[in-house]
Amino acid sequence: AQKITQTQPGMFVQEKEAVTLDCTYDTSDQSYGLFWYKQPSSGEMIFLIYQGSYDEQNATEGRYSLNFQKARKSANLVISASQLGDSAMYFCAMSPTGGFKTIFGAGTRLFVKA
Amino acid sequence: SAVISQKPSRDICQRGTSLTIQCQVDSQVTMMFWYRQQPGQSLTLIATANQGSEATYESGFVIDKFPISRPNLTFSTLTVSNMSPEDSSIYLCSTQLSTDTQYFGPGTRLTVL
């Protein structure tokens, strides 16, 4: 069975510092994709970054990077130079390639302090 | 990318009534997905809606409670029937244009009194 685990219910980070949000996963699929989403208090789900299981390089999108360690089944999100607007809920998710069904972790609430 | 809109954005409903949520995508897509997010919880997939066939429901969700329509490749509706306070959630529709891109609508925030 597939499973996503986010062990940090809440995280605090000082503005302008970097923060790592943890995500581990379990799957028997050989090919899969990993996603990170941001959910502000408005409730919308904002796509941040994607990593394919066969991608050799870690994905990066602006201030977001994904630290993908396949052998350890981890896909941590790194946010550099945190901003006050980064305060939100962050969800890690996984989808089997071609399967189109995505499962989500429990989420981590990030608080950025001024 | 895909632009997804949902109506209504929020609603407050009485117990025992039904609400239909609309989801519109700005391009033709094969599959649309409906998720529920209960307060303080993560997202749970309710069903997958394919055009021209019945929706496929996940374990714990049934058609009588959450009927879904998919009349064309850009539109879908989810009805929450015979509502109770436990149905208070954010309901989100979603589509996946490719394996590496999944987009969500802005969500419908439902409160049942």
Side-chain angles (χ1 to χ4, degrees):
Chain A
Q2 294 184 321
K3 187 177 181 181
I4 295 280
T5 302
Q6 294 179 254
T7 58
Q8 306 155 314
M11 289 281 288
F12 287 87
V13 64
Q14 196 68 38
E15 191 179 11
K16 300 181 184 177
E17 293 185 350
V19 63
T20 298
L21 306 184
D22 295 340
C23 173
T24 59
Y25 61 92
D26 192 16
T27 181
S28 57
D29 293 322
Q30 295 300 310
S31 181
Y32 50 88
L34 296 153
F35 301 80
W36 276 92
Y37 290 89
K38 173 184 178 181
Q39 187 179 44
S41 57
S42 59
E44 61 185 311
M45 292 288 285
I46 302 169
F47 167 77
L48 295 179
I49 196 167
Y50 167 86
Q51 178 84 43
S53 59
Y54 287 108
D55 294 340
E56 293 186 352
Q57 290 193 332
N58 287 341
T60 60
E61 289 285 348
R63 293 187 299 113
Y64 305 107
S65 61
L66 200 152
N67 184 1
F68 181 48
Q69 298 186 45
K70 191 172 182 177
R72 302 175 73 173
K73 294 190 174 179
S74 73
N76 298 338
L77 177 71
V78 180
I79 305 175
S80 62
S82 296
Q83 302 172 356
L84 295 178
D86 293 336
S87 293
M89 196 76 172
Y90 288 81
F91 290 98
C92 179
M94 177 172 63
S95 175
T97 302
F100 295 99
K101 281 176 62 170
T102 304
I103 62 168
F104 288 80
T108 296
R109 184 167 294 281
L110 178 65
F111 300 92
V112 181
K113 300 182 290 183
Chain B
S1 66
V3 176
I4 305 175
S5 60
Q6 282 185 239
K7 290 181 183 179
S9 59
R10 60 176 63 229
D11 207 342
I12 301 174
C13 300
Q14 295 297 319
R15 181 195 300 260
T17 62
S18 298
L19 176 72
T20 296
I21 302 168
Q22 298 179 6
C23 179
Q24 179 78 51
V25 186
D26 69 345
S27 58
Q28 294 185 340
V29 295
T30 304
M31 286 188 280
M32 295 176 72
F33 307 91
W34 286 98
Y35 287 84
R36 180 178 74 181
Q37 186 179 24
Q38 295 177 300
Q41 303 295 313
S42 185
L43 280 72
T44 301
L45 181 64
I46 297 172
T48 302
N50 296 322
Q51 195 268 335
S53 63
E54 281 199 5
T56 303
Y57 289 83
E58 298 300 306
S59 176
F61 297 96
V62 295
I63 188 172
D64 290 346
K65 176 68 176 177
F66 298 101
I68 288 171
S69 78
R70 182 80 200 274
N72 58 52
L73 291 173
T74 64
F75 187 79
S76 178
T77 67
L78 169 76
T79 299
V80 186
S81 304
N82 188 24
M83 288 184 285
S84 67
E86 292 71 34
D87 294 319
S88 297
S89 299
I90 299 174
Y91 292 85
L92 298 113
C93 70
S94 167
T95 188
Q96 200 156 353
L97 298 183
S98 63
T99 55
D100 62 352
T101 53
Q102 182 169 5
Y103 297 97
F104 285 83
T108 296
R109 194 179 295 268
L110 171 63
T111 301
V112 184
L113 303 177

